[in-house]
Amino acid sequence: MTAISGVRSTQAASLAPSSPTLREGAKGAAVTQLQNLLRGKGFSVSADGQFGPKTEAAVKSFQASRGLAADGVVGPKTWAALRSAPAAPAAGGQPTLKLGAKGAAVTQLQQALRNKGISVSVDGDFGPKTQAAVKSFQASRGLAA
């Protein structure tokens, strides 16, 4: 009976989500799981199982967006935040975007700015050039930039 219990425990453990502490340099299935969760939150990272600089930058950005210590280390609090429901969008159904944001919503913003004739790269990264483009658009429409 012990062997059967051991098998059941092993099966249950393999079904539970993996939550090891991860940092730059980590590799494997848990990193791929992390990257897929980040992608689901709108961050542009490759799900290649390699925790490199791009994954670290996405983790830091995600942590900052959730009020966590933005140290790039994925521990219990970061895992919990990644697995929680997505943040509610701002009024009007769109998320609030600012410097440091990454992902599909930023790509949509950049494309919309280009469609309005504002020169900006469409790369999904809300950097200083995207910020300048947004301010230019806001000023052209009489909005507070």
Side-chain angles (χ1 to χ4, degrees):
M1 189 135 190
T2 316
I4 294 173
S5 297
V7 170
R8 286 185 184 151
S9 296
T10 303
Q11 288 173 338
S14 68
L15 296 176
S18 178
S19 302
T21 299
L22 299 173
R23 58 183 41 87
E24 189 171 5
K27 298 176 183 178
V31 176
T32 303
Q33 180 184 22
L34 163 66
Q35 292 165 328
N36 283 323
L37 287 167
L38 287 166
R39 290 169 61 96
K41 300 289 184 187
F43 292 88
S44 179
V45 295
S46 297
D48 61 5
Q50 307 286 324
F51 195 132
K54 290 182 180 180
T55 298
E56 182 182 40
V59 168
K60 286 180 178 180
S61 181
F62 173 77
Q63 289 169 325
S65 76
R66 294 299 178 96
L68 301 170
D71 58 6
V73 177
V74 182
K77 290 180 182 178
T78 302
W79 279 116
L82 282 163
R83 291 187 176 116
S84 70
Q94 296 297 320
T96 300
L97 300 173
K98 60 184 179 182
L99 193 62
K102 297 181 187 309
V106 176
T107 300
Q108 290 174 346
L109 166 66
Q110 292 167 328
Q111 189 59 55
L113 288 167
R114 286 183 69 113
N115 292 344
K116 296 290 183 185
I118 297 174
S119 177
V120 64
S121 296
V122 179
D123 61 6
D125 185 2
F126 196 124
K129 291 180 181 178
T130 298
Q131 183 180 44
V134 168
K135 287 181 177 183
S136 173
F137 174 78
Q138 289 169 328
S140 74
R141 299 295 193 268
L143 303 169

